[in-house]
Amino acid sequence: MKSSSAPLKLPSKKATNITLSMDVYQAAKSLGINISQICEQRLREEIQMRREQQWNEEHADFLTAYNQRMEEEGVALEEWRSF
């Protein structure tokens, strides 16, 4: 019986130009570094960090109020926690 799973759909790519210092470019190439792959990986990390930062800024009032309440009232059912 054959599996009917669909093939994985890879994200599409967009060619783009970046400008690098010649020494950085040459060092990366001499070390066999895939510049596109590294750029994409680092950009994904930066995007995630900035999204988290943005979320924290947008929800700062709630987070402050929640933390204040936890300090004043403690964690719910804390007396039954075993850790």
Side-chain angles (χ1 to χ4, degrees), residues 19-31 33 35:
T19 303
L20 301 172
S21 299
M22 186 57 79
D23 62 325
V24 171
Y25 173 79
Q26 288 175 340
K29 283 299 185 182
S30 72
L31 293 169
I33 295 173
I35 296 170

Side-chain angles (χ1 to χ4, degrees), residues 6-10:
L8 291 176
K9 184 177 179 183
L10 298 175

Side-chain angles (χ1 to χ4, degrees), residues 5-78:
S5 62
L8 291 176
K9 184 177 179 183
L10 298 175
S12 60
K13 300 275 185 169
K14 168 71 174 135
T16 185
N17 293 322
I18 61 169
T19 303
L20 301 172
S21 299
M22 186 57 79
D23 62 325
V24 171
Y25 173 79
Q26 288 175 340
K29 283 299 185 182
S30 72
L31 293 169
I33 295 173
N34 182 324
I35 296 170
S36 294
Q37 186 178 35
I38 293 295
C39 285
E40 183 172 351
Q41 178 184 343
R42 297 295 189 259
L43 277 171
R44 287 182 186 280
E45 292 169 3
E46 183 70 18
I47 289 165
Q48 180 64 32
M49 187 217 31
R50 290 189 186 201
R51 284 181 175 163
E52 289 173 8
Q53 182 180 14
Q54 183 180 29
W55 189 94
N56 286 333
E57 290 170 1
E58 291 172 358
H59 297 88
D61 292 342
F62 167 79
L63 295 171
T64 300
Y66 177 82
N67 289 333
Q68 180 69 32
R69 185 172 181 180
M70 290 300 105
E71 284 182 31
E72 293 170 359
E73 300 177 14
V75 178
L77 307 174
E78 187 168 5

